[in-house]
Amino acid sequence: MVVLGIESSCDETSIAVINGGRLTANLISSQDFHKLYGGVVPELSSRAHIQRLQPLLKSALEQAKITKEDIDIVSATAGPGLIGALLTGFVYGKHLAFALNKPFIPVNHIEGHIYSGFLMDEKPIFPVLVLVVSGGHTMLILVHSEVKMEILGSTIDDAVGEAFDKVAKMLGLPYPGGPSIQNAAQKGNPLAYKFPISETSGKYDFSYSGLKTAVLRMINKIKTEDEVISPEAVNDIAASFQKAAIDALIIKTGKAIKAHNVHSLSLTGGVAANKLLRESITNLGQKHSLKVVIPGFEFCGDNGAMIALRGKMLYEAGERFDDDFEPFPEFYSKYLVNG
Ligand code: KG4
Ligand code: ZN
């Protein structure tokens, strides 16, 4: 069975092919020009997806050594994401499926991230505790099977990736903030500043607005004392912020492991590219004798492979979709229940 996966929810256009359970192409075209604007410009993102989808499909088919007639299922991200961006890949995939007379499977972007550990050779074992950390979401999810997931906690304000992006902006570091903070942090002292880990009423919920405000206060304080922030102070703040942001994730994930029957631990989403977070999650999992599965870098950020895989899973679970199924900009999933 050949499954095509199309991702276009934000600023990555990506098309992947899974052939007989093997990933044979995963092409990702990142819209780096958004850097010029300090963030993703939705209108420009949609236009870039439209320009890139067709050439990317041709290259993906070539790399996978198939023709479009070999495709058995077309899957595409249906949300959450920027509605204009979503529509480009969704409509492209839906029409391709119609022209080929094959099923079209809409995929929830977050579900794509959640199951991305299953793209690896060493797969997670159910029940898997998955920490999803991206620019839009911070969620702890207990995954029981291909069609049953339980939300244990999520952010009550900013997503962790959003906090990295905003703190980077405050420090004058380039967008996207995650990699910029990580680079600066490598040269800084994580113990230089003590930033708070916010308390939340939900046992496994996260909160990043207090941490963000504490960083802003510190930057303003240093600025008034010295007029400017030295590169050393930027590095120290980046390192101290990164530590606090990641400590919060590790504390809640540790609590969830203790309270639930879990066999594996997985980490996904754009922020899963963070080196300190990868190391901390690996250590936490090992401490609790869990199988730890952290996808490779190309599967942490937005990618078509995770969409193709999730599309394949849903198809195999018997899911079929009506012609009038629409993309959804907000979070929605019929398989995720509140824990
Ligand atoms: O999953 P993703 O590619 O897109 C969304 O669905 O949001 O995640 C993007 C987020 C951005 O906030 C970016 O700053 C963050 O992932 N990110 C990182 C790192 N690389 C990307 N955050 C921390 N450390 C990194 N190395
Ligand atoms: Zn994502």
Side-chain angles (χ1 to χ4, degrees):
M1 188 163 73
V2 175
V3 187
L4 190 79
I6 303 172
E7 159 61 31
S8 73
S9 66
C10 192
D11 57 346
E12 260 92 31
T13 321
S14 179
I15 299 195
V17 177
I18 291 180
N19 188 347
R22 220 167 55 82
L23 182 68
T24 48
N26 184 34
L27 300 184
I28 303 168
S29 170
S30 295
Q31 302 175 2
D32 293 329
F33 60 82
H34 292 292
K35 272 189 182 134
L36 299 171
Y37 308 94
V40 178
V41 183
E43 169 84 12
L44 298 181
S45 158
S46 311
R47 287 170 184 269
H49 286 308
I50 291 171
Q51 287 168 355
R52 295 176 189 199
L53 279 164
Q54 186 102 321
L56 213 55
L57 174 65
K58 287 182 179 163
S59 306
L61 294 176
E62 221 172 272
Q63 195 178 98
K65 297 193 173 61
I66 56 166
T67 66
K68 61 181 185 307
E69 287 74 24
D70 294 321
I71 297 169
D72 295 307
I73 298 164
V74 181
S75 53
T77 303
L82 302 169
I83 191 63
L86 285 168
L87 279 165
T88 63
F90 184 92
V91 170
Y92 188 80
K94 186 174 169 179
H95 288 194
L96 178 64
F98 179 68
L100 295 170
N101 202 18
K102 296 289 157 117
F104 174 66
I105 309 283
V107 169
N108 177 304
H109 180 83
I110 304 300
E111 288 182 17
H113 278 304
I114 290 171
Y115 290 94
S116 59
F118 290 87
L119 286 164
M120 302 296 101
D121 290 338
E122 275 294 322
K123 302 191 190 320
I125 302 161
F126 294 124
V128 196
L129 183 66
V130 184
L131 178 64
V132 183
V133 279
S134 74
H137 297 89
T138 308
M139 295 174 115
L140 254 181
I141 294 167
L142 187 56
V143 184
H144 298 278
S145 71
E146 280 88 354
V147 287
K148 190 174 170 219
M149 295 163 264
E150 206 181 324
I151 303 177
L152 299 183
S154 54
T155 181
I156 57 165
D157 40 57
D158 289 352
V160 61
E162 196 179 348
F164 270 84
D165 293 336
K166 286 179 179 167
V167 167
K169 208 167 190 171
M170 291 175 200
L171 291 170
L173 298 171
Y175 177 90
S180 304
I181 294 270
Q182 174 169 296
N183 287 340
Q186 267 160 6
K187 295 168 259 163
N189 173 8
L191 304 175
Y193 301 95
K194 188 148 175 44
F195 291 129
I197 293 171
S198 307
E199 283 301 320
T200 50
S201 52
K203 217 171 167 187
Y204 308 113
D205 284 340
F206 304 94
S207 165
Y208 281 100
S209 74
L211 172 58
K212 203 180 60 188
T213 310
V215 173
L216 184 62
R217 282 215 194 96
M218 186 54 71
I219 293 172
N220 288 337
K221 193 173 155 212
I222 297 171
K223 265 191 189 158
T224 43
E225 281 167 7
D226 302 339
E227 297 285 319
V228 284
I229 328 176
S230 68
E232 290 74 28
V234 167
N235 295 341
D236 285 347
I237 291 177
S240 306
F241 159 77
Q242 182 179 252
K243 179 178 168 0
I246 289 172
D247 280 353
L249 296 173
I250 298 299
I251 290 169
K252 298 291 165 80
T253 308
K255 267 191 193 165
I257 292 172
K258 281 188 193 146
H260 297 86
N261 170 33
V262 177
H263 288 162
S264 303
L265 179 62
S266 189
L267 171 71
T268 67
V271 185
N274 186 278
K275 205 166 159 272
L276 179 65
L277 179 57
R278 294 172 86 88
E279 285 166 8
S280 309
I281 283 288
T282 304
N283 292 340
L284 180 70
Q286 282 169 354
K287 196 174 112 191
H288 292 276
S289 308
L290 301 178
K291 182 171 188 181
V292 179
V293 180
I294 305 178
F297 289 113
E298 65 171 310
F299 306 113
C300 285
D302 294 345
N303 65 87
M306 68 182 194
I307 303 304
L309 180 73
R310 186 64 184 144
K312 181 173 178 281
M313 277 182 183
L314 293 176
Y315 182 81
E316 285 171 347
E319 279 293 348
R320 301 295 181 267
F321 294 85
D322 294 334
D323 274 351
D324 59 357
F325 189 95
E326 287 179 57
F328 40 95
E330 302 304 331
F331 187 77
Y332 162 84
S333 166
K334 70 183 245 199
Y335 312 98
L336 262 166
V337 294
N338 281 313

